[in-house]
Amino acid sequence: MGLPFLDQWLVRRMQWDRDLPPTSGQLREWQLARLREIVAHAQTNSPFYARHLEGVDAFAIESFDDFSRLPTITPDHMRETPEQLLCVSQDAVARAVTLTSSGTTGPPKRIFHTEEDLEATVDYFAWGMGNIAGKGRTVLVLMPGDRPGGVGRLLVDALTRAGGRAVTHGVMENVDVALDQCLEEAADCVVGSPAHVHMLAHAWQRRGLPKGTIRSVLLCWDAIPEAVAANVERLFGCRVFRHWGMIETGLGGAVECAPGSGMHLREADVFMEIVDPETGAGLPDGEFGEMVVTTPLKRGMPLIRYRTGDTGRILTGQCSCESPLRRLDPLIYRRLEGVATGPETLTLRTLNEALYGVPGLADFAARFDGGRLRLTVCGGNGVSRDVRVALQTVPAVERGRAFGCLEIDIDVKNDGTPAIAGLGKRCIHTDLEK
């Protein structure tokens, strides 16, 4: 039996020249060496890191505890002085991304990728898709594929390299148009955001199409509610895989393998720490905390101990595939998300699980405006009533109503368009954004 796809990628990326893949201990030794190198590289070549890491002796970092004592960086550094994080000339930048987070005011973040960064992502995607869509398969990608260096284009290049066929739909604006393309192209795999794939699965059921035609799905780009993953698996009758990544770190970050027991981290390129968000102290595997990432092989604009603002955890033990790659729990959410609806805070994570569990609800959007929760829901007859019933299971909603702090409006639409246009990260929008 050959090596798992992700272990084959790891061996290549590490330039590991031994007969067997590295053990977890050997991988950690390799990571520590790369972390020392990237710290020294950044100190020498980046004006920002020369100041930020002044007095640090990179080659005196002898343990991960030593590394964890280095100061962190935040998204504000990429808003204020992004060019100063560069360790190469701007001529070496192959793609620059301007990133505005939902609900964030002020200047957007600027992230720079070199040609080597983009190639590394294509290579990772090609191997990571091995379990999801092998040679000869046709994949419908619900993302644009025409922008060089964009995630859709990189995925198309990766699937082509792996012997598959990728068909890009672009941003899904109408679910029936997307489903028609899926059928015309005879796609048996779908890649897209959880909300859009969820809508597609409901449209598939509404037309009475057979289960098993779609053999696999990859949910990516945004937080993945458990209810969405379960619904997509049931409605398509297929295996659902999940992916986590960030534009800041070079997109691909972690993906599920065949056993599906968590998302294996892209450990050669993304070093993950889980820390207490208040004290910054490292937390053991199995405990939730803030995700802090470092990109040890990203030479153009390396991130060293970047505070993501996301909450997650590393799973304990080893996957049944026996990979040395650590596993990230698919449950990832924004640390400071939510709105005060009275005595409690209502989070999108809670709404997702409650509302996506409503039969017939294909998509929804939420806005909190002056004590009023306004929901736009996509579904058929009776969905408004069922949504109100589901909201009764959400403590922050029920207590807000009991205290007279919260009223609810529900608008139902059934025109085939998503509740929120585009591929922006989902959130509870508020009147403060105005």
Side-chain angles (χ1 to χ4, degrees):
M1 184 175 178
L3 286 178
F5 286 104
L6 291 173
D7 283 3
Q8 294 182 56
W9 163 80
L10 180 64
V11 166
R12 288 164 52 95
R13 187 66 171 145
M14 289 177 60
Q15 299 181 338
W16 190 253
D17 58 358
R18 307 184 193 183
D19 294 335
L20 295 175
T23 64
S24 58
Q26 290 169 329
L27 173 56
R28 298 287 274 176
E29 288 179 8
W30 181 89
Q31 285 179 307
L32 188 58
R34 302 293 82 74
L35 292 174
R36 285 192 288 263
E37 290 172 0
I38 200 62
V39 168
H41 171 75
Q43 287 176 309
T44 302
N45 296 289
S46 158
F48 168 79
Y49 282 118
R51 298 189 302 272
H52 187 68
L53 300 175
E54 185 177 5
V56 172
D57 181 353
F59 293 98
I61 299 172
E62 297 182 347
S63 67
F64 292 108
D65 285 341
D66 290 344
F67 181 75
S68 70
R69 296 187 186 98
L70 299 183
T72 58
I73 64 173
T74 70
D76 286 340
H77 292 114
M78 282 184 279
R79 295 188 182 102
E80 296 164 358
T81 56
E83 291 82 4
Q84 294 210 6
L85 273 74
L86 276 170
C87 294
V88 295
S89 72
Q90 294 208 34
D91 291 340
V93 173
R95 185 170 188 241
V97 182
T98 300
L99 191 62
T100 303
S101 299
S102 299
T104 300
T105 59
K109 291 177 280 190
R110 289 280 286 168
I111 300 106
F112 302 101
H113 300 301
T114 66
E115 196 64 50
E116 290 75 16
D117 298 333
L118 301 179
E119 167 56 29
T121 296
V122 170
D123 186 59
Y124 175 72
F125 281 172
W127 287 100
M129 289 295 294
N131 291 310
I132 303 166
K135 292 182 180 180
R137 301 270 302 275
T138 297
V139 181
L140 179 69
V141 181
L142 298 178
M143 298 177 188
D146 54 352
R147 178 178 297 177
V151 61
R153 178 68 171 272
L154 296 176
L155 184 56
V156 169
D157 292 345
L159 288 166
T160 302
R161 181 178 300 181
R165 174 173 173 259
V167 177
T168 55
H169 175 78
V171 177
M172 194 179 81
E173 298 177 348
N174 184 285
V175 68
D176 290 305
V177 174
L179 182 50
D180 287 342
Q181 184 182 19
C182 183
L183 296 172
E184 290 166 5
E185 299 288 352
D188 61 5
C189 175
V190 178
V191 175
S193 72
H196 291 175
V197 176
H198 192 259
M199 280 199 78
L200 190 70
H202 274 270
W204 187 277
Q205 182 194 47
R206 189 175 65 247
R207 290 198 195 180
L209 297 169
K211 293 184 178 182
T213 304
I214 300 298
R215 295 163 52 192
S216 58
V217 162
L218 177 67
L219 301 177
C220 57
W221 190 258
D222 206 347
I224 304 168
E226 290 291 321
V228 167
N231 287 342
V232 170
E233 187 169 270
R234 174 177 55 84
L235 296 173
F236 277 137
C238 74
R239 173 68 193 281
V240 171
F241 295 82
R242 290 170 285 192
H243 171 270
W244 168 83
M246 302 179 68
I247 291 175
E248 292 95 318
T249 60
L251 299 168
V255 68
E256 284 187 294
C257 67
S261 59
M263 301 184 294
H264 283 293
L265 282 160
R266 182 185 174 184
E267 296 230 69
D269 295 281
V270 178
F271 175 70
M272 176 72 68
E273 301 172 78
I274 305 296
V275 307
D276 183 304
E278 303 302 329
T279 67
L283 296 175
D285 291 353
E287 291 192 21
F288 281 98
E290 184 172 4
M291 297 162 59
V292 175
V293 295
T294 299
T295 53
L297 297 183
K298 202 168 185 285
R299 313 294 282 185
M301 185 182 184
L303 301 183
I304 298 176
R305 307 206 69 227
Y306 173 67
R307 297 188 64 159
T308 66
D310 288 338
T311 296
R313 67 171 177 170
I314 302 295
L315 295 173
T316 59
Q318 188 176 38
C319 178
S320 60
C321 75
E322 300 184 350
S323 174
L325 297 167
R326 294 179 298 164
R327 293 167 299 137
L328 189 62
D329 191 319
L331 178 58
I332 296 169
Y333 54 94
R334 296 296 295 169
R335 187 170 70 85
L336 299 177
E337 72 168 7
V339 295
T341 57
E344 296 192 25
T345 297
L346 176 65
T347 66
L348 181 63
R349 178 165 52 105
T350 304
L351 271 183
N352 279 340
E353 300 303 340
L355 299 191
Y356 279 124
V358 172
L361 184 143
D363 193 16
F364 80 92
R367 173 173 284 279
F368 184 71
D369 192 351
R372 188 177 295 273
L373 179 63
R374 304 178 187 274
L375 297 174
T376 300
V377 299
C378 303
N381 295 333
V383 71
S384 176
R385 178 191 65 248
D386 293 341
V387 164
R388 290 189 182 276
V389 171
L391 288 174
Q392 295 174 11
T393 68
V394 180
V397 172
E398 279 301 280
R399 294 198 67 192
R401 294 178 65 187
F403 277 80
C405 303
L406 181 66
E407 296 184 12
I408 298 172
D409 291 336
I410 300 176
D411 177 43
V412 179
K413 60 182 248 171
N414 195 16
D415 58 2
T417 62
I420 299 176
L423 277 173
K425 302 290 186 181
R426 298 293 181 104
C427 66
I428 300 177
H429 293 279
T430 70
D431 54 354
L432 296 178
E433 295 170 18
K434 300 175 184 177

